Amino acid sequence: MKIMVAIKRVVDYAVKIRVKPDKTGVETTNVKMSMNPFCEIALEEAIRVRESGRAAEVIIVSMGPQQCVDTLRTGLAMGADRGIHVETRETLFPLSVAKLLKALIDVEKPELLIMGKQAIDDDFNQTGQMVAGLLNWPQGTFASKVVLDKEKQAVTVDREVDGGLETLCLDLPAVITTDLRLNQPRYATLPNIMKAKSKVIKKYTPDELSVQIKSDLEIVQVTEPPKRKAGVLVSSVDELIDKLKNEARVV
């Protein structure tokens, strides 16, 4: 069976985010970019399934400008078999990404789509649910454990909910979105980084996939959160209670 993994190129999680002066978005020029952490978890899980003998191939997909190839090479160095790059300079919102993924799935025919539950840049947490709806596939979101049964053509997913854990059994093909506690992604070793340079990355455009990119959302303004006031030292418990009561108004 094939497993497809969607990965996204985002501003590195360790970088301090800066809003553009015109407040149209976040500054990405000369900023370190990397693979979305939730996508790393999704890819790690797919590779582990293949290494266990329950899958034959792991295909990674990234969408966006030419620089996404670097992110794909990172995924190939981690252990993916081949990559697909949908090249576009357009801003991609979740519904457009879901339509592109559906078109690729119609071409590649994977039995399982694994992706991060959200990207750390926009935090939409919508694409997995949307592509499952477009494909009419069962979905297991916020997965903290995944067990694939190749003989029964089913996958069992433990998902994190407010009340604890919920266990679902999904018939394949299915969509799974991954949570933080599913696994610990591996580091790409130097030999695998070198091997990744020769692995295949196939290119598509949205037009070749018969998908029209259009924005169903409008970003009005991006602003930084308000800065917190500096703390103050108090000399007594009475002064602390007075400030909590009269300034903070929390007691």
Side-chain angles (χ1 to χ4, degrees):
M1 66 176 285
K2 290 182 185 178
I3 301 177
M4 182 176 284
V5 181
I7 61 176
K8 187 175 183 181
R9 179 176 178 265
V10 299
V11 176
D12 189 85
Y13 72 94
V15 171
K16 181 175 174 56
I17 299 299
R18 292 181 290 114
V19 176
K20 292 180 179 178
D22 59 4
K23 298 184 178 181
T24 58
V26 171
E27 187 61 65
T28 57
T29 304
N30 298 323
V31 172
K32 182 182 178 183
M33 309 291 280
S34 60
M35 190 187 304
N36 177 48
F38 289 101
C39 298
E40 288 184 330
I41 294 169
L43 177 54
E44 174 66 26
E45 192 64 23
I47 294 170
R48 291 185 185 189
V49 171
R50 189 202 59 203
E51 289 175 344
S52 70
R54 290 169 288 176
E57 186 178 32
V58 174
I59 308 163
I60 51 176
V61 178
S62 190
M63 304 173 188
Q66 175 62 27
Q67 293 90 331
C68 289
V69 171
D70 296 335
T71 308
L72 286 168
R73 291 292 179 199
T74 300
L76 294 171
M78 286 176 65
D81 297 292
R82 58 188 174 93
I84 297 175
H85 178 211
V86 180
E87 188 169 7
T88 177
R89 302 294 303 185
E90 299 288 333
T91 300
L92 294 173
F93 289 108
L95 185 56
S96 297
V97 176
K99 289 178 179 178
L100 289 168
L101 282 172
K102 180 184 182 301
L104 289 172
I105 286 170
D106 290 340
V107 173
E108 292 289 342
K109 308 294 184 186
E111 285 79 17
L112 189 60
L113 172 64
I114 307 180
M115 54 199 307
K117 70 171 185 177
Q118 65 195 77
I120 62 172
D121 53 359
D122 52 35
D123 274 336
F124 278 134
N125 184 13
Q126 296 176 358
T127 306
Q129 293 87 331
M130 286 180 172
V131 72
L134 292 173
L135 291 165
N136 197 27
W137 284 8
Q139 59 181 297
T141 56
F142 314 118
S144 60
K145 184 179 179 182
V146 175
V147 179
L148 186 66
D149 191 328
K150 193 175 178 182
E151 293 183 1
K152 294 183 179 179
Q153 283 293 292
V155 58
T156 302
V157 176
D158 287 350
R159 59 188 302 268
E160 299 187 356
V161 296
D162 290 342
L165 292 178
E166 180 183 43
T167 301
L168 303 176
C169 186
L170 312 174
D171 293 330
L172 295 177
V175 177
I176 294 174
T177 69
T178 60
D179 215 330
L180 279 174
R181 282 159 288 279
L182 179 59
N183 60 48
Q184 180 66 42
R186 69 191 67 188
Y187 290 102
T189 62
L190 183 58
N192 287 337
I193 291 173
M194 300 304 294
K195 290 178 184 177
K197 294 180 179 180
S198 62
K199 290 185 178 180
V200 176
I201 296 179
K202 189 171 184 178
K203 285 188 178 290
Y204 287 97
T205 64
D207 290 340
E208 289 172 338
L209 296 171
S210 301
V211 176
Q212 182 181 2
I213 304 298
K214 61 179 182 179
S215 175
D216 49 355
L217 297 173
E218 179 186 358
I219 297 177
V220 178
Q221 190 179 75
V222 177
T223 58
E224 292 184 12
K227 288 183 169 58
R228 295 178 60 183
K229 293 182 179 179
V232 296
L233 293 174
V234 295
S235 58
S236 66
V237 174
D238 290 339
E239 185 182 355
L240 172 61
I241 294 173
D242 179 67
K243 287 185 177 294
L244 290 175
K245 184 177 180 179
N246 299 315
E247 291 186 20
R249 298 185 185 278
V250 295
V251 294

